[in-house]
Amino acid sequence: MDQELYSKERSASLDLLLRFQRLLISKLYPADCVGQVPNTYSPDLLGVGSLLKKYTALLCTHIGDILPVATSIACTSHRHFAEVSCVVDGDLTGILLPELVVSIVLLLSKNAGLMQEAGAIPLLAGLLEHLDRFNHLAPGKERDDNEDLAWPGIMGSFFTGQSCRNNEEVTLIRKADLENHNKDGGFWTVIDGKVYDIKDFQTQSLTGSSIL
C-alpha cells in the first residue's frame, strides 16, 4: 500500500484495526490460479475466512451495543442527532463498517462459495434494525426517501403528501379492468393492493420488460 495520510482524529488502535481488516480482505480476494479446482479452498484460505467471521462478530457486537445508545441520545433533538452522528462517524461504525460491507459485497461477487463458507454475511444482517432506527432520526429523511423512490409512473400525490384515504379521491380498479388495460398495451401492476402505472418507467428501465 502507498503511504496514506494519517488522520490525527483517528486513534492508532482504530488505524490498526482498519489495516487488519484490509489485510483480511486482501487475503480472501481471489487470485487467478491456473488449474485450481472450482469450489475447493485451501485450509489457509478457510482459516482466513474463519478469522473474518470472528472479526465481523466482534465488530457487530460492539456496533450493536453502541447504536441503541446513540439512537436514544439522538432522538432528543436535531442538534443531538448531529452531535451523535459526528461521534459515530469517527467510531468503528463510520470507519470500519462501511468499508467492510463494500468489501464483503465485492468478495461475494467474486467468490460466493467462499463467502458462504466463511459465514460472515449473516452477522451483518443483525445490524440492519439498529442502523435503520438511527437513520430514521435523520432530519429530512422523508424527503430523501421520496426522492430515492420518485421514478416515473407513481402517482404524484404519493410524494406531495396528499392523503388518499378520502374515498372520493380513490379510484377502485377491478382485476378485469387491469387485465384489459394491459392487453391494450398498458402496464399496470399491483403492489400491496394499490395499482401503479409503470408504463413510463418501462421505457427507461435498463433491466428490460421481462424482469418488470
Side-chain angles (χ1 to χ4, degrees):
M1 289 178 56
D2 295 333
Q3 270 194 334
E4 60 180 17
L5 294 177
Y6 180 79
S7 174
K8 294 182 179 179
E9 297 180 357
R10 197 165 68 201
S11 65
S13 58
L14 191 55
D15 188 67
L16 183 63
L17 279 174
L18 181 59
R19 292 177 182 274
F20 174 71
Q21 176 177 295
R22 290 174 177 174
L23 179 63
L24 285 177
I25 298 299
S26 67
K27 293 294 184 181
L28 290 171
Y29 194 83
D32 295 329
C33 299
V34 180
Q36 183 178 357
V37 181
N39 298 327
T40 60
Y41 311 109
S42 66
D44 291 343
L45 200 59
L46 292 175
V48 176
S50 177
L51 192 57
L52 176 65
K53 180 180 180 180
K54 294 178 181 178
Y55 169 80
T56 305
L58 292 172
L59 183 64
C60 290
T61 299
H62 172 79
I63 296 176
D65 293 337
I66 292 295
L67 281 180
V69 179
T71 302
S72 64
I73 299 174
C75 68
T76 307
S77 67
H78 292 333
R79 181 178 178 182
H80 284 78
F81 178 85
E83 294 292 338
V84 171
S85 296
C86 291
V87 175
V88 171
D89 191 47
D91 188 49
L92 305 184
T93 310
I95 296 177
L96 299 182
L97 182 62
E99 187 170 314
L100 179 63
V101 171
V102 173
S103 299
I104 287 181
V105 170
L106 176 63
L107 290 174
L108 189 62
S109 66
K110 293 291 184 180
N111 199 334
L114 177 59
M115 294 309 297
Q116 293 295 336
E117 287 283 341
I121 298 175
L123 298 173
L124 294 170
L127 295 179
L128 292 177
E129 185 176 352
H130 295 302
L131 290 168
D132 193 53
R133 287 178 180 173
F134 184 78
N135 290 333
H136 269 71
L137 299 176
K141 173 195 69 69
E142 294 180 358
R143 182 190 68 248
D144 293 340
D145 286 349
N146 290 344
E147 290 176 355
D148 290 341
L149 295 172
W151 45 269
I154 289 186
M155 297 178 296
S157 61
F158 182 81
F159 293 112
T160 56
Q162 298 177 4
S163 175
C164 294
R165 295 180 180 178
N166 191 335
N167 292 332
E168 296 179 358
E169 299 177 2
V170 175
T171 302
L172 297 180
I173 298 177
R174 298 177 301 171
K175 183 178 180 181
D177 296 333
L178 184 141
E179 293 175 349
N180 292 332
H181 178 82
N182 290 345
K183 287 180 181 179
D184 294 336
F187 206 151
W188 286 357
T189 186
V190 180
I191 303 174
D192 293 335
K194 296 182 176 62
V195 178
Y196 298 92
D197 185 356
I198 59 174
K199 181 69 176 178
D200 294 338
F201 182 66
Q202 178 190 13
T203 60
Q204 301 179 21
S205 173
L206 301 177
T207 60
S209 300
S210 59
I211 295 180
L212 290 177

